[in-house]
Amino acid sequence: ILSDSRLFFTVQDEKTYSLDANNGTTVWSSGFSYAQNKIALEDGILAISGLRRIESEEILADAYNTLQLIDSRTGRELYRNYDPLQKGYNVPNDFRYGLTRSVVIQNKQIYLADENQFLSFRIQLN
């Protein structure tokens, strides 16, 4: 995502980055989620949906959905929900499932979906 001379992106090493788009320097970077799938940005709020691996010795461990809201200027986490669908929702060993199909923020409302679920949350900051 490119916004206000800043570039925001995630990589599969569990990191999210904010770079100065003019010179490429890192403004901030931080680890969020396990496998970030979608990000969205509106009004200084960066939303990241992805999967969090359950602690396991297995190579293909099960995972939970994650949703995190980040202050795009500082990289500070504003909100974290490690299981927005329901407690204990077990995503099969298939990264096509979970809240991975879309994440959109519009008018302080966040929308997430996959093949089976649709969620909408209102964002309220104190």
Side-chain angles (χ1 to χ4, degrees), residues 39-55:
I39 62 174
L41 177 68
E42 182 183 90
D43 294 333
I45 299 172
L46 184 67
I48 303 170
S49 73
L51 298 174
R52 176 179 64 94
R53 183 170 41 176
I54 297 171
E55 296 302 321

PDB file of all heavy atoms in Angstrom, residues 39-55:
ATOM      1  N   ILE A  39      -3.740  -6.738   3.775  1.00  0.00           N
ATOM      2  CA  ILE A  39      -3.623  -5.527   4.568  1.00  0.00           C
ATOM      3  C   ILE A  39      -4.486  -4.445   3.932  1.00  0.00           C
ATOM      4  O   ILE A  39      -4.771  -4.487   2.741  1.00  0.00           O
ATOM      5  CB  ILE A  39      -2.157  -5.032   4.714  1.00  0.00           C
ATOM      6  CG1 ILE A  39      -1.556  -4.664   3.360  1.00  0.00           C
ATOM      7  CG2 ILE A  39      -1.313  -6.078   5.417  1.00  0.00           C
ATOM      8  CD1 ILE A  39      -0.165  -4.038   3.478  1.00  0.00           C
ATOM      9  N   ALA A  40      -4.921  -3.498   4.751  1.00  0.00           N
ATOM     10  CA  ALA A  40      -5.715  -2.368   4.279  1.00  0.00           C
ATOM     11  C   ALA A  40      -5.325  -1.159   5.110  1.00  0.00           C
ATOM     12  O   ALA A  40      -4.836  -1.297   6.236  1.00  0.00           O
ATOM     13  CB  ALA A  40      -7.213  -2.658   4.423  1.00  0.00           C
ATOM     14  N   LEU A  41      -5.556   0.029   4.587  1.00  0.00           N
ATOM     15  CA  LEU A  41      -5.176   1.261   5.268  1.00  0.00           C
ATOM     16  C   LEU A  41      -6.245   2.318   5.047  1.00  0.00           C
ATOM     17  O   LEU A  41      -6.705   2.523   3.923  1.00  0.00           O
ATOM     18  CB  LEU A  41      -3.830   1.765   4.722  1.00  0.00           C
ATOM     19  CG  LEU A  41      -3.311   3.082   5.256  1.00  0.00           C
ATOM     20  CD1 LEU A  41      -2.920   2.965   6.724  1.00  0.00           C
ATOM     21  CD2 LEU A  41      -2.108   3.542   4.442  1.00  0.00           C
ATOM     22  N   GLU A  42      -6.648   2.968   6.150  1.00  0.00           N
ATOM     23  CA  GLU A  42      -7.527   4.129   6.068  1.00  0.00           C
ATOM     24  C   GLU A  42      -7.339   4.968   7.319  1.00  0.00           C
ATOM     25  O   GLU A  42      -7.292   4.439   8.433  1.00  0.00           O
ATOM     26  CB  GLU A  42      -8.999   3.739   5.957  1.00  0.00           C
ATOM     27  CG  GLU A  42      -9.903   4.979   5.822  1.00  0.00           C
ATOM     28  CD  GLU A  42     -11.379   4.648   5.791  1.00  0.00           C
ATOM     29  OE1 GLU A  42     -11.998   4.607   6.879  1.00  0.00           O
ATOM     30  OE2 GLU A  42     -11.904   4.443   4.688  1.00  0.00           O
ATOM     31  N   ASP A  43      -7.235   6.280   7.149  1.00  0.00           N
ATOM     32  CA  ASP A  43      -7.151   7.230   8.268  1.00  0.00           C
ATOM     33  C   ASP A  43      -6.092   6.849   9.303  1.00  0.00           C
ATOM     34  O   ASP A  43      -6.336   6.902  10.497  1.00  0.00           O
ATOM     35  CB  ASP A  43      -8.509   7.381   8.959  1.00  0.00           C
ATOM     36  CG  ASP A  43      -9.545   8.033   8.069  1.00  0.00           C
ATOM     37  OD1 ASP A  43      -9.155   8.809   7.169  1.00  0.00           O
ATOM     38  OD2 ASP A  43     -10.737   7.772   8.270  1.00  0.00           O
ATOM     39  N   GLY A  44      -4.927   6.421   8.828  1.00  0.00           N
ATOM     40  CA  GLY A  44      -3.838   6.117   9.743  1.00  0.00           C
ATOM     41  C   GLY A  44      -3.933   4.783  10.438  1.00  0.00           C
ATOM     42  O   GLY A  44      -3.127   4.472  11.314  1.00  0.00           O
ATOM     43  N   ILE A  45      -4.920   3.952  10.060  1.00  0.00           N
ATOM     44  CA  ILE A  45      -5.072   2.631  10.658  1.00  0.00           C
ATOM     45  C   ILE A  45      -4.748   1.581   9.602  1.00  0.00           C
ATOM     46  O   ILE A  45      -5.364   1.535   8.541  1.00  0.00           O
ATOM     47  CB  ILE A  45      -6.492   2.403  11.191  1.00  0.00           C
ATOM     48  CG1 ILE A  45      -6.805   3.426  12.273  1.00  0.00           C
ATOM     49  CG2 ILE A  45      -6.643   0.985  11.729  1.00  0.00           C
ATOM     50  CD1 ILE A  45      -8.232   3.418  12.728  1.00  0.00           C
ATOM     51  N   LEU A  46      -3.765   0.746   9.914  1.00  0.00           N
ATOM     52  CA  LEU A  46      -3.372  -0.351   9.044  1.00  0.00           C
ATOM     53  C   LEU A  46      -3.979  -1.633   9.613  1.00  0.00           C
ATOM     54  O   LEU A  46      -3.754  -1.959  10.781  1.00  0.00           O
ATOM     55  CB  LEU A  46      -1.841  -0.454   9.013  1.00  0.00           C
ATOM     56  CG  LEU A  46      -1.227  -1.478   8.075  1.00  0.00           C
ATOM     57  CD1 LEU A  46      -1.483  -1.092   6.623  1.00  0.00           C
ATOM     58  CD2 LEU A  46       0.268  -1.586   8.338  1.00  0.00           C
ATOM     59  N   ALA A  47      -4.787  -2.316   8.825  1.00  0.00           N
ATOM     60  CA  ALA A  47      -5.403  -3.578   9.255  1.00  0.00           C
ATOM     61  C   ALA A  47      -4.664  -4.730   8.602  1.00  0.00           C
ATOM     62  O   ALA A  47      -4.357  -4.690   7.412  1.00  0.00           O
ATOM     63  CB  ALA A  47      -6.875  -3.612   8.847  1.00  0.00           C
ATOM     64  N   ILE A  48      -4.362  -5.748   9.400  1.00  0.00           N
ATOM     65  CA  ILE A  48      -3.660  -6.921   8.899  1.00  0.00           C
ATOM     66  C   ILE A  48      -4.466  -8.153   9.279  1.00  0.00           C
ATOM     67  O   ILE A  48      -4.756  -8.372  10.454  1.00  0.00           O
ATOM     68  CB  ILE A  48      -2.261  -7.040   9.522  1.00  0.00           C
ATOM     69  CG1 ILE A  48      -1.435  -5.782   9.246  1.00  0.00           C
ATOM     70  CG2 ILE A  48      -1.548  -8.288   9.004  1.00  0.00           C
ATOM     71  CD1 ILE A  48      -0.133  -5.729  10.025  1.00  0.00           C
ATOM     72  N   SER A  49      -4.852  -8.941   8.286  1.00  0.00           N
ATOM     73  CA  SER A  49      -5.481 -10.230   8.580  1.00  0.00           C
ATOM     74  C   SER A  49      -4.514 -11.324   8.171  1.00  0.00           C
ATOM     75  O   SER A  49      -3.737 -11.171   7.236  1.00  0.00           O
ATOM     76  CB  SER A  49      -6.815 -10.390   7.854  1.00  0.00           C
ATOM     77  OG  SER A  49      -6.608 -10.604   6.477  1.00  0.00           O
ATOM     78  N   GLY A  50      -4.562 -12.408   8.900  1.00  0.00           N
ATOM     79  CA  GLY A  50      -3.661 -13.505   8.588  1.00  0.00           C
ATOM     80  C   GLY A  50      -3.982 -14.706   9.440  1.00  0.00           C
ATOM     81  O   GLY A  50      -5.082 -14.845   9.952  1.00  0.00           O
ATOM     82  N   LEU A  51      -3.003 -15.555   9.578  1.00  0.00           N
ATOM     83  CA  LEU A  51      -3.156 -16.765  10.366  1.00  0.00           C
ATOM     84  C   LEU A  51      -2.064 -16.818  11.419  1.00  0.00           C
ATOM     85  O   LEU A  51      -0.948 -16.353  11.192  1.00  0.00           O
ATOM     86  CB  LEU A  51      -3.062 -18.007   9.479  1.00  0.00           C
ATOM     87  CG  LEU A  51      -4.126 -18.134   8.399  1.00  0.00           C
ATOM     88  CD1 LEU A  51      -3.818 -19.324   7.510  1.00  0.00           C
ATOM     89  CD2 LEU A  51      -5.501 -18.273   9.006  1.00  0.00           C
ATOM     90  N   ARG A  52      -2.385 -17.384  12.570  1.00  0.00           N
ATOM     91  CA  ARG A  52      -1.417 -17.594  13.647  1.00  0.00           C
ATOM     92  C   ARG A  52      -1.310 -19.088  13.861  1.00  0.00           C
ATOM     93  O   ARG A  52      -2.300 -19.758  14.133  1.00  0.00           O
ATOM     94  CB  ARG A  52      -1.875 -16.913  14.934  1.00  0.00           C
ATOM     95  CG  ARG A  52      -0.953 -17.169  16.116  1.00  0.00           C
ATOM     96  CD  ARG A  52      -1.455 -16.441  17.337  1.00  0.00           C
ATOM     97  NE  ARG A  52      -2.747 -16.918  17.774  1.00  0.00           N
ATOM     98  CZ  ARG A  52      -2.961 -17.857  18.689  1.00  0.00           C
ATOM     99  NH1 ARG A  52      -1.944 -18.456  19.256  1.00  0.00           N
ATOM    100  NH2 ARG A  52      -4.181 -18.204  19.032  1.00  0.00           N
ATOM    101  N   ARG A  53      -0.111 -19.593  13.741  1.00  0.00           N
ATOM    102  CA  ARG A  53       0.105 -21.019  13.911  1.00  0.00           C
ATOM    103  C   ARG A  53      -0.065 -21.407  15.371  1.00  0.00           C
ATOM    104  O   ARG A  53       0.381 -20.717  16.268  1.00  0.00           O
ATOM    105  CB  ARG A  53       1.506 -21.378  13.441  1.00  0.00           C
ATOM    106  CG  ARG A  53       1.789 -22.853  13.509  1.00  0.00           C
ATOM    107  CD  ARG A  53       3.070 -23.222  12.837  1.00  0.00           C
ATOM    108  NE  ARG A  53       4.131 -22.265  13.125  1.00  0.00           N
ATOM    109  CZ  ARG A  53       5.360 -22.415  12.710  1.00  0.00           C
ATOM    110  NH1 ARG A  53       5.689 -23.446  11.989  1.00  0.00           N
ATOM    111  NH2 ARG A  53       6.274 -21.516  13.006  1.00  0.00           N
ATOM    112  N   ILE A  54      -0.725 -22.524  15.590  1.00  0.00           N
ATOM    113  CA  ILE A  54      -0.835 -23.083  16.932  1.00  0.00           C
ATOM    114  C   ILE A  54       0.519 -23.680  17.272  1.00  0.00           C
ATOM    115  O   ILE A  54       1.167 -24.303  16.434  1.00  0.00           O
ATOM    116  CB  ILE A  54      -1.929 -24.165  16.969  1.00  0.00           C
ATOM    117  CG1 ILE A  54      -3.279 -23.539  16.653  1.00  0.00           C
ATOM    118  CG2 ILE A  54      -1.949 -24.885  18.306  1.00  0.00           C
ATOM    119  CD1 ILE A  54      -4.380 -24.539  16.457  1.00  0.00           C
ATOM    120  N   GLU A  55       0.959 -23.472  18.497  1.00  0.00           N
ATOM    121  CA  GLU A  55       2.252 -24.019  18.910  1.00  0.00           C
ATOM    122  C   GLU A  55       2.241 -25.526  18.725  1.00  0.00           C
ATOM    123  O   GLU A  55       1.444 -26.232  19.331  1.00  0.00           O
ATOM    124  CB  GLU A  55       2.538 -23.666  20.364  1.00  0.00           C
ATOM    125  CG  GLU A  55       2.686 -22.174  20.596  1.00  0.00           C
ATOM    126  CD  GLU A  55       3.794 -21.553  19.762  1.00  0.00           C
ATOM    127  OE1 GLU A  55       4.863 -22.188  19.596  1.00  0.00           O
ATOM    128  OE2 GLU A  55       3.606 -20.440  19.257  1.00  0.00           O
TER     129      GLU A  55
END
